[in-house]
Amino acid sequence: MTDVAEPLPNRPLDATADVSSPSLKTPAAPAGATTSRIPPEPSLKSISLDSQDLFFNRELSWLRFNERVLEEAYDISNPLLERVRFLSIFHTNLDEFYMIRVSGLRRQLASGVLEAPPDGMTPVEQMQALRSEITPLLQRAVDLWHEDLLPRLRHEGIHLLSYDELTEDQRAWLRDHFKREIFPVLTPLAFDPGHPFPHISNLSLSLAVAVRDPNAPHQTERFARVKVPATFPRLLAIADQSDATRSDELGLPEQRPQQSFIWLEEVVAHNLDLLFPGLTIAAAYPFRVTRDADLEIEADEASDLLEALEEVVEQRQFGFVVHLEVDERMPPWVRDILLENLELAPYQLTSSRGPVGLADVSAFTDVERPDLKFRPFVHHSHPAPKEEGQIFSLLRQRDHLLYLPYDSFQPVVTFLQQAARDPKVLAIKQTLYRVGPNSPIVQALMRARENGKQVAVLVELKARFDEENNMVWARELEQKGVHVVYGDTELKTHAKICLVVRRESVGIRRYLHLSTGNYNPVTARIYTDLGFFTCDEALANDLSDLFNRLTGYSAKRDYSKIIAAPHAIREALLERIHREIEHQQAGRRGHIALKMNSLVDKRCIQALYRASAAGVQVQLQVRGICCLRPGLPGLSENIEVTSIVGRFLEHTRIYYFRNGGDEEILTGSADLMPRNLDGRVEVLFPIEDPELKKSLRDDILFLHLRDTSKARRMLSDGSYERRRPAAGEEPLNTQEYLLQHGGSWRRDED
């Protein structure tokens, strides 16, 4: 395995060690690049578990996660175009953070409802802290792009050109292309007493154009806005007439492929004379706005949830502006026009040397250079059932566990496709949260209805940023005669469950699939998730009862095996944590190991503090937000928190309790956040098969806890440091290991 450059706490990786060319060196992060609001050491003599000093702010903790994403863009052990992808993900994450979390803080300020989190920070304090943290992070990202990634791309024959670098032939070709393809789409919008300030849609890229009338008595610059159309790729490929010269200058082999690109906004900016004939174009400055995009539907206004959501989604482009990005060359008078008319304060503006909207560098990852990307991988596929109904025969023999993306998602598709065709199948019930376009899952459900099966599907319309896609699928399913329900206006249904009812010689039997992830074949290749197949009768009874609650008016909350939110998961986990304390106090070693996306819930954190103080070993692997503070002597010194950020997004939830040797493992859809435990329908379910339980523990959970390559360990001040192998040991990159070796959870057929 390849080792990585030595990291610096809270700073990007120094990737200069094996690069000889000064032009290809990664810039070091500025000293003191980020500073968190670090709680002081609590007084352990009179400590209260309600103390604000025991909790990190969730928004600042999320920024730490996004900083770890940015570190992957600095990490030279990642292929070059994958580093560009991580830089894009960092900015895409930040866009969503502004649209949801920052806009939420602003709504709190506007409404006067100031909800203090466990750490006690007010919305004003949080906004100030976020500003001080985000600014240096953005500077580091821009420096990385200009001083490291761009030179390396050029070194590899991938050139991002400015207009000044174009040949006359290239400029002529772009001029002609602009006239034919781009010009007809553009609409220049003036701003003066006769023209109101134009609406700037969410995340759209615009040019602020300063124009002058050469015939006017006063040569005053006037403002106009030109939207850069998103209907065209932002990265425009151009003919390169100077490959040989550039190769000679860089000392590259002649056979190295040369590809040249230019940003679309540069092409527009240098052809604005066609949009403003007779006027002088003084300058054009890119800018971009981010708006509030957190949809809110009032229960008393939602007589039809689908229609109500359609109306709300249409308003997303009109939410209030929370962030303005501008080119650093933009003069103060243009900035003032934007700030005033977008109703922003100066602190909501970020200026940089560009490009504005750095998330769009993802376009470079479409370049056909497999040598600059992660190696393709082949799923460790289970044998595919070829005969109709064979998958049900396999499940009657034993339970099966999939671990995506190391295992293929195809068995899930096959399960539903065979159920749709099987004449013995009577009904299918399923929840859908995010399914993606061209979904084979939805196609199978519609085919099942065409074949006379009873099909009931809960489509969660409020899955953030997938609302429009889910509304389309809901309409199509309804048109096919599928019973479609949309869930509750106040609760999101986040549980990932499917139930197939089949008539067999012994009577009715139900087959189940439960998962930690979505029924989405696209994310199944980039998210790590568990999928569990079974025909366990007790679990089947539980899911039948849960579906009755989701589609009808059942008030049932207690189940035989599953644990469901919003009523039971928190208390069930608190009971299990307390049980580990009792085992520890009775001399039976207590051990808790939890793997999840986020840890925010105050009561769960307090329970883990109690367990640690009692001597229970607590291992937490939290990919994103973690509000718990580890490593405090006498309180959380028995808690270790790690986070893995790598090629795949760690999305699995696993909850392990040693239970005095009678180990219990739960998995499912829920993270330990108030929104999951109180505001969503979630399901945790047990893995009871001894062999699968052992594999889930040793080959997945504990393996990830041993990662010494992509894992970072959280320190008591909220910062993270890379975990390193012991002297003489090879680093363990868990994701790469599983790609190469798989795991014994697969239980291949004989």
Side-chain angles (χ1 to χ4, degrees), residues 41 63 128 159 274 290 314 329 380 416 421 528 539 549 589 593 597 645 729 733:
E41 289 282 347
L63 283 183
Q128 292 172 339
H159 305 279
L274 297 176
T290 308
E314 290 179 0
R329 297 168 299 168
H380 301 289
L416 280 163
R421 295 190 298 261
T528 70
L539 277 174
R549 171 181 152 197
R589 179 172 61 87
N597 294 272
V645 177
E729 289 185 356
N733 183 326

Side-chain angles (χ1 to χ4, degrees), residues 203-223:
L203 300 182
S204 63
L205 183 65
S206 299
L207 292 176
V209 184
V211 298
R212 289 194 300 267
D213 184 348
N215 299 316
H218 303 288
Q219 292 294 301
T220 302
E221 292 184 357
R222 291 182 288 174
F223 174 93

Side-chain angles (χ1 to χ4, degrees), residues 118-149:
D119 60 274
M121 292 183 72
T122 67
V124 171
E125 290 174 328
Q126 292 181 71
M127 295 285 284
Q128 292 172 339
L130 291 174
R131 172 73 176 178
S132 65
E133 294 251 351
I134 289 174
T135 299
L137 280 178
L138 287 173
Q139 185 61 53
R140 288 167 57 187
V142 170
D143 290 347
L144 173 66
W145 174 246
H146 286 283
E147 298 173 23
D148 181 34
L149 295 178

Side-chain angles (χ1 to χ4, degrees), residues 321-596:
V321 180
V322 292
H323 186 221
L324 171 64
E325 303 169 69
V326 304
D327 187 283
E328 65 181 5
R329 297 168 299 168
M330 180 179 287
W333 72 271
V334 178
R335 292 188 186 189
D336 290 343
I337 288 176
L338 293 175
L339 288 173
E340 179 180 354
N341 288 276
L342 294 171
E343 300 180 343
L344 295 175
Y347 76 87
Q348 294 173 276
L349 178 146
T350 300
S351 66
S352 72
R353 53 176 163 158
V356 170
L358 203 54
D360 289 339
V361 299
S362 61
F364 282 95
T365 63
D366 294 331
V367 174
E368 290 297 326
R369 288 293 300 274
D371 56 312
L372 302 180
K373 301 179 182 180
F374 287 130
R375 294 190 306 274
F377 66 92
V378 178
H379 297 291
H380 301 289
S381 299
H382 292 254
K386 296 181 174 59
E387 300 178 8
E388 288 299 319
Q390 185 181 6
I391 195 166
F392 303 112
S393 174
L394 293 174
L395 295 182
R396 287 195 297 272
Q397 297 172 30
R398 64 191 188 197
D399 297 342
H400 286 259
L401 188 67
L402 300 180
Y403 189 29
L404 309 174
Y406 313 105
D407 283 326
S408 171
F409 184 70
Q410 186 57 41
V412 182
V413 177
T414 300
F415 175 65
L416 280 163
Q417 288 175 337
Q418 290 200 5
R421 295 190 298 261
D422 191 334
K424 296 181 180 180
V425 169
L426 305 178
I428 302 174
K429 303 181 181 184
Q430 187 164 9
T431 62
L432 296 178
Y433 192 73
R434 302 184 195 274
V435 294
N438 304 316
S439 169
I441 298 295
V442 178
Q443 296 296 334
L445 292 170
M446 292 192 292
R447 179 61 57 87
R449 184 67 196 104
E450 292 172 354
N451 291 339
K453 321 294 184 189
Q454 292 294 314
V455 183
V457 179
L458 189 148
V459 180
E460 180 47 72
L461 298 181
K462 301 186 297 298
R464 185 175 292 146
F465 301 121
D466 269 2
E467 299 96 346
E468 293 179 80
N469 184 60
N470 286 3
M471 285 188 288
V472 170
W473 283 128
R475 294 289 195 199
E476 291 197 25
L477 286 164
E478 286 178 329
Q479 291 172 4
K480 293 292 185 180
V482 173
H483 298 296
V484 179
V485 295
Y486 310 130
D488 193 295
T489 57
E490 297 180 356
L491 296 175
K492 285 186 180 180
T493 300
H494 191 244
K496 314 322 174 20
I497 52 178
C498 178
L499 182 150
V500 172
V501 182
R502 192 171 188 261
R503 184 184 299 280
E504 299 177 353
S505 59
V506 296
I508 296 294
R509 194 191 302 269
R510 288 162 293 184
Y511 297 85
L512 318 175
H513 177 263
L514 304 93
S515 178
T516 66
N518 297 303
Y519 290 101
N520 187 324
V522 175
T523 58
R525 292 188 59 85
I526 55 178
Y527 288 15
T528 70
D529 272 307
L530 290 167
F532 179 58
F533 290 101
T534 186
C535 56
D536 180 270
E537 188 67 16
L539 277 174
N541 288 334
D542 284 351
L543 287 200
S544 291
D545 287 338
L546 179 59
F547 273 112
N548 289 340
R549 171 181 152 197
L550 294 175
T551 61
Y553 289 114
S554 170
K556 185 176 179 61
R557 298 183 179 183
D558 298 324
Y559 303 92
S560 173
K561 288 190 175 182
I562 69 169
I563 309 169
H567 305 293
I569 289 181
R570 180 188 287 108
E571 294 303 324
L573 293 179
L574 293 178
E575 289 174 5
R576 285 160 174 79
I577 294 171
H578 181 69
R579 186 179 65 191
E580 290 303 309
I581 295 174
E582 292 179 334
H583 283 305
Q584 180 72 26
Q585 292 172 339
R588 299 180 295 271
R589 179 172 61 87
H591 185 189
I592 299 169
L594 312 179
K595 181 174 174 62
M596 69 197 87

Side-chain angles (χ1 to χ4, degrees), residues 226-247:
V226 175
K227 181 177 180 178
V228 179
T231 50
F232 300 104
R234 188 174 173 193
L235 194 65
L236 182 61
I238 58 176
D240 193 341
Q241 306 295 325
S242 54
D243 289 353
T245 302
R246 192 170 287 114
S247 296

